[in-house]
């Protein structure tokens, strides 16, 4: 399960997600050209998105295929 957190610049957890993202073959096969943020996720490594990347991540999460792959609840929460 991929856990979601928002952290401050100091590293303190500001908010912790209640919906995780289950790792799947479909998530592993996301096209890096179309989904550069989400395709960078790995099952056993941390991924950190900075404030400049969040708009791109939001657009990726609005894609209907992505919402199917990661689940509607996780996409909405993220």
């Amino acid at each position: 399960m991929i856990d979601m957190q928002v952290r401050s610049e100091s590293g303190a957890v500001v908010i912790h997600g209640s919906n995780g993202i289950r790792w799947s073959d479909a998530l592993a096969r996301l096209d890096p050209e179309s989904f550069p943020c989400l395709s960078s996720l790995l099952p056993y490594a941390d991924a950190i998105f900075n404030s400049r990347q969040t708009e791109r991540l939001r657009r990726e999460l609005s894609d209907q295929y992505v919402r199917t792959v990661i689940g509607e609840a996780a996409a909405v929460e993220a």
Side-chain angles (χ1 to χ4, degrees), residues 7-51:
R7 293 179 175 240
S8 67
E9 287 185 23
S10 68
V13 176
V14 176
I15 190 165
H16 188 266
S18 59
N19 295 293
I21 299 174
R22 293 199 187 286
W23 184 256
S24 68
D25 288 337
L27 184 58
R29 290 190 310 267
L30 285 176
D31 176 31
E33 293 293 319
S34 300
F35 306 105
C37 293
L38 292 172
S39 68
S40 67
L41 296 177
L42 298 171
Y44 301 107
D46 291 337
I48 300 170
F49 301 108
N50 64 42
S51 59

Side-chain angles (χ1 to χ4, degrees), residues 43-63:
Y44 301 107
D46 291 337
I48 300 170
F49 301 108
N50 64 42
S51 59
R52 295 184 71 188
Q53 294 169 309
T54 56
E55 180 57 31
R56 175 64 199 196
L57 179 61
R58 188 192 63 75
R59 288 193 307 268
E60 291 180 31
L61 290 167
S62 69
D63 183 274

